[in-house]
Each structure stands twice: as C-alpha cells, then as structure tokens.
Amino acid sequence: MDFNQAIRVITRLLTAKNPDAFNSSWILAHAPECYRYIHKNVRTELGYIDWDRVTSALPRKFQRRWVPARISMRRKPYEDCSEVTTILNKYQEKLYVFDALMNEDDRRIRDSISIALVRLAQHGNISARQEILERARHTIDDWIERYRSLARWQGYNEEIQKRLEACIRCYRYSGSFIKYVFLTLVYAGRGLRPLYTYSLDDPIAFGSEKRRVENVFKDERTNEIRIYKRTDHRS
C-alpha cells in the first residue's frame, strides 16, 4: 500500500458509509490497514502522525467532517526554537512564499509551513506561535495593499494581531490556514471604519505646493479643530 491507495480506500469508505463526522479512531475501525500505513509512514518533521496531510488529500466535503484530536488548552507553554528550525529547514529555499507566490506549488508549500507551525503553536510552543505570527503578517500586509476587501484593515494593527492570534487558537479543520485567515479578515472587516493616516506636511494634491496644515481651522460653533474641505460651509 502507498499513500494514494490509502486515500482511495478511505474515500470509498467515507462515500459508502457517509458519516456525519469522522476521526482517526473511525479510520482505525473501518480501514485498519490504511491506519497502520499512515501510522508508520505519514509523519511530520517532528514525528507526529500527519493527519493534516491525510485529510487535505480527501474530497473537500469530507475534509469538513474531520474531527481532530482535542488539544488541551491547559497545556503548559514552552519555548523550543529547535522544533521551529526543524520545520523551516525543510523549506529553507521557499520561505519567500509568505511574501510572494510564484506558482501553485508555492501556495501548497505556504500551506504546509503555516499548518505545521500552527499545530506546533497549538501544542504550546511559543517560538512557533511567534514565527507564524510574523510570517503570516507579511502575507496580510500584502493583501491589504492588493485587495479592496481588506484595504479597510489599514491602520488596525492591534486588531489584526488579535484576529491572527484567534485564528491560530481556533484553527481545527484541515485545508489552508492562510485561506482561513483571509476569510476571517474579509468577514470581520466588513464593519470596520477605514482609517486614513497622513501627515499635515503632505501636499494637498500631487504637484501642489500647498500643504494640508494650511487648511486646518477651528470650528467656532463646536470648537473642534478640523481640516477644511469643499463641503465645509462656515457662516
């Protein structure tokens, strides 16, 4: 048996039995030969069974029914840079994928790296948590520049950090962690009020010698300091 054969057998069984949910115990009970193959041959860089690789190879409708092993939130945090290094060393020449993607293979590699770091962070490794926070933030900053649906996140640095930390804690299903973060920001960002940051020393318009500070005035009715616009009408 090889990996593809194991996936085909599990897929046939899932299609025939159509369970509402399944996990590693379900596979052991219904496809013991496949389970033994996975247990022996499908491992992460750190030696854990790579169920993310298994479930991501299944049809999407079954991916959503996967119920991973419950991770105890009381697990004592620890710091181990060597575990992070072990993961990153495998992809040393591909770490640019969090800044730019060259092709679909890069996208898959980014998913593999991010999921590996997230799972390690969920087990309590503070170093892995910091690593995925920093690398995912590079990707988010690029999204903010490229996608209108995320442009309103500009300036909400603390809120982005909170959302990203929540994604790391809550990520359970197999698939793409990065896509999970993207969709989370799209949905959560719909209610955000765009922030526009600029310097009062900036020109009012491109090529203009007049600066924004020259349009600052005090509203006599409200005592507010405001910037004059064409829509402002003072009596």
Side-chain angles (χ1 to χ4, degrees), residues 18-29:
N18 197 30
D20 293 331
F22 73 104
N23 55 19
S24 58
S25 297
W26 189 94
I27 294 176
L28 176 59

PDB file of all heavy atoms in Angstrom, residues 18-29:
ATOM      1  N   ASN A  18     -20.846   7.384   4.622  1.00  0.00           N
ATOM      2  CA  ASN A  18     -21.312   8.770   4.734  1.00  0.00           C
ATOM      3  C   ASN A  18     -21.511   9.223   6.186  1.00  0.00           C
ATOM      4  O   ASN A  18     -22.605   9.662   6.580  1.00  0.00           O
ATOM      5  CB  ASN A  18     -22.631   8.942   3.971  1.00  0.00           C
ATOM      6  CG  ASN A  18     -22.947  10.400   3.700  1.00  0.00           C
ATOM      7  OD1 ASN A  18     -22.047  11.217   3.551  1.00  0.00           O
ATOM      8  ND2 ASN A  18     -24.222  10.729   3.640  1.00  0.00           N
ATOM      9  N   PRO A  19     -20.487   9.145   7.027  1.00  0.00           N
ATOM     10  CA  PRO A  19     -20.640   9.573   8.427  1.00  0.00           C
ATOM     11  C   PRO A  19     -20.759  11.093   8.537  1.00  0.00           C
ATOM     12  O   PRO A  19     -20.227  11.830   7.702  1.00  0.00           O
ATOM     13  CB  PRO A  19     -19.327   9.084   9.061  1.00  0.00           C
ATOM     14  CG  PRO A  19     -18.333   9.131   7.943  1.00  0.00           C
ATOM     15  CD  PRO A  19     -19.109   8.712   6.715  1.00  0.00           C
ATOM     16  N   ASP A  20     -21.459  11.541   9.553  1.00  0.00           N
ATOM     17  CA  ASP A  20     -21.571  12.990   9.786  1.00  0.00           C
ATOM     18  C   ASP A  20     -20.231  13.578  10.204  1.00  0.00           C
ATOM     19  O   ASP A  20     -19.948  14.747   9.952  1.00  0.00           O
ATOM     20  CB  ASP A  20     -22.615  13.272  10.866  1.00  0.00           C
ATOM     21  CG  ASP A  20     -24.028  12.921  10.413  1.00  0.00           C
ATOM     22  OD1 ASP A  20     -24.294  12.990   9.192  1.00  0.00           O
ATOM     23  OD2 ASP A  20     -24.848  12.569  11.264  1.00  0.00           O
ATOM     24  N   ALA A  21     -19.419  12.758  10.874  1.00  0.00           N
ATOM     25  CA  ALA A  21     -18.088  13.176  11.306  1.00  0.00           C
ATOM     26  C   ALA A  21     -17.213  11.931  11.418  1.00  0.00           C
ATOM     27  O   ALA A  21     -17.724  10.814  11.569  1.00  0.00           O
ATOM     28  CB  ALA A  21     -18.155  13.906  12.645  1.00  0.00           C
ATOM     29  N   PHE A  22     -15.921  12.129  11.324  1.00  0.00           N
ATOM     30  CA  PHE A  22     -15.007  11.002  11.484  1.00  0.00           C
ATOM     31  C   PHE A  22     -13.675  11.503  12.020  1.00  0.00           C
ATOM     32  O   PHE A  22     -13.374  12.696  11.964  1.00  0.00           O
ATOM     33  CB  PHE A  22     -14.810  10.253  10.155  1.00  0.00           C
ATOM     34  CG  PHE A  22     -13.968  10.990   9.141  1.00  0.00           C
ATOM     35  CD1 PHE A  22     -12.652  10.618   8.894  1.00  0.00           C
ATOM     36  CD2 PHE A  22     -14.491  12.058   8.423  1.00  0.00           C
ATOM     37  CE1 PHE A  22     -11.879  11.281   7.954  1.00  0.00           C
ATOM     38  CE2 PHE A  22     -13.726  12.726   7.478  1.00  0.00           C
ATOM     39  CZ  PHE A  22     -12.417  12.337   7.249  1.00  0.00           C
ATOM     40  N   ASN A  23     -12.882  10.588  12.563  1.00  0.00           N
ATOM     41  CA  ASN A  23     -11.573  10.934  13.104  1.00  0.00           C
ATOM     42  C   ASN A  23     -10.631   9.748  12.919  1.00  0.00           C
ATOM     43  O   ASN A  23     -10.943   8.795  12.194  1.00  0.00           O
ATOM     44  CB  ASN A  23     -11.692  11.339  14.578  1.00  0.00           C
ATOM     45  CG  ASN A  23     -12.372  10.261  15.416  1.00  0.00           C
ATOM     46  OD1 ASN A  23     -12.450   9.089  15.017  1.00  0.00           O
ATOM     47  ND2 ASN A  23     -12.875  10.639  16.577  1.00  0.00           N
ATOM     48  N   SER A  24      -9.493   9.800  13.584  1.00  0.00           N
ATOM     49  CA  SER A  24      -8.514   8.726  13.439  1.00  0.00           C
ATOM     50  C   SER A  24      -9.055   7.391  13.954  1.00  0.00           C
ATOM     51  O   SER A  24      -8.744   6.330  13.398  1.00  0.00           O
ATOM     52  CB  SER A  24      -7.223   9.099  14.174  1.00  0.00           C
ATOM     53  OG  SER A  24      -7.473   9.340  15.551  1.00  0.00           O
ATOM     54  N   SER A  25      -9.873   7.438  14.988  1.00  0.00           N
ATOM     55  CA  SER A  25     -10.459   6.203  15.519  1.00  0.00           C
ATOM     56  C   SER A  25     -11.419   5.573  14.515  1.00  0.00           C
ATOM     57  O   SER A  25     -11.502   4.338  14.406  1.00  0.00           O
ATOM     58  CB  SER A  25     -11.197   6.491  16.835  1.00  0.00           C
ATOM     59  OG  SER A  25     -10.295   6.945  17.818  1.00  0.00           O
ATOM     60  N   TRP A  26     -12.140   6.403  13.773  1.00  0.00           N
ATOM     61  CA  TRP A  26     -13.051   5.891  12.738  1.00  0.00           C
ATOM     62  C   TRP A  26     -12.251   5.169  11.662  1.00  0.00           C
ATOM     63  O   TRP A  26     -12.644   4.091  11.192  1.00  0.00           O
ATOM     64  CB  TRP A  26     -13.831   7.052  12.139  1.00  0.00           C
ATOM     65  CG  TRP A  26     -14.943   6.653  11.210  1.00  0.00           C
ATOM     66  CD1 TRP A  26     -16.262   6.484  11.519  1.00  0.00           C
ATOM     67  CD2 TRP A  26     -14.825   6.365   9.802  1.00  0.00           C
ATOM     68  NE1 TRP A  26     -16.978   6.111  10.406  1.00  0.00           N
ATOM     69  CE2 TRP A  26     -16.130   6.035   9.334  1.00  0.00           C
ATOM     70  CE3 TRP A  26     -13.759   6.358   8.903  1.00  0.00           C
ATOM     71  CZ2 TRP A  26     -16.373   5.696   8.004  1.00  0.00           C
ATOM     72  CZ3 TRP A  26     -14.008   6.019   7.575  1.00  0.00           C
ATOM     73  CH2 TRP A  26     -15.294   5.689   7.134  1.00  0.00           C
ATOM     74  N   ILE A  27     -11.120   5.765  11.259  1.00  0.00           N
ATOM     75  CA  ILE A  27     -10.281   5.135  10.240  1.00  0.00           C
ATOM     76  C   ILE A  27      -9.710   3.816  10.760  1.00  0.00           C
ATOM     77  O   ILE A  27      -9.672   2.811  10.042  1.00  0.00           O
ATOM     78  CB  ILE A  27      -9.149   6.092   9.816  1.00  0.00           C
ATOM     79  CG1 ILE A  27      -9.742   7.321   9.114  1.00  0.00           C
ATOM     80  CG2 ILE A  27      -8.149   5.388   8.896  1.00  0.00           C
ATOM     81  CD1 ILE A  27      -8.717   8.377   8.746  1.00  0.00           C
ATOM     82  N   LEU A  28      -9.287   3.802  12.020  1.00  0.00           N
ATOM     83  CA  LEU A  28      -8.752   2.572  12.604  1.00  0.00           C
ATOM     84  C   LEU A  28      -9.807   1.467  12.603  1.00  0.00           C
ATOM     85  O   LEU A  28      -9.504   0.304  12.306  1.00  0.00           O
ATOM     86  CB  LEU A  28      -8.275   2.832  14.035  1.00  0.00           C
ATOM     87  CG  LEU A  28      -7.783   1.619  14.830  1.00  0.00           C
ATOM     88  CD1 LEU A  28      -6.601   0.947  14.123  1.00  0.00           C
ATOM     89  CD2 LEU A  28      -7.408   2.034  16.244  1.00  0.00           C
ATOM     90  N   ALA A  29     -11.050   1.831  12.911  1.00  0.00           N
ATOM     91  CA  ALA A  29     -12.126   0.835  12.996  1.00  0.00           C
ATOM     92  C   ALA A  29     -12.561   0.324  11.629  1.00  0.00           C
ATOM     93  O   ALA A  29     -12.872  -0.865  11.471  1.00  0.00           O
ATOM     94  CB  ALA A  29     -13.319   1.433  13.737  1.00  0.00           C
TER      95      ALA A  29
END
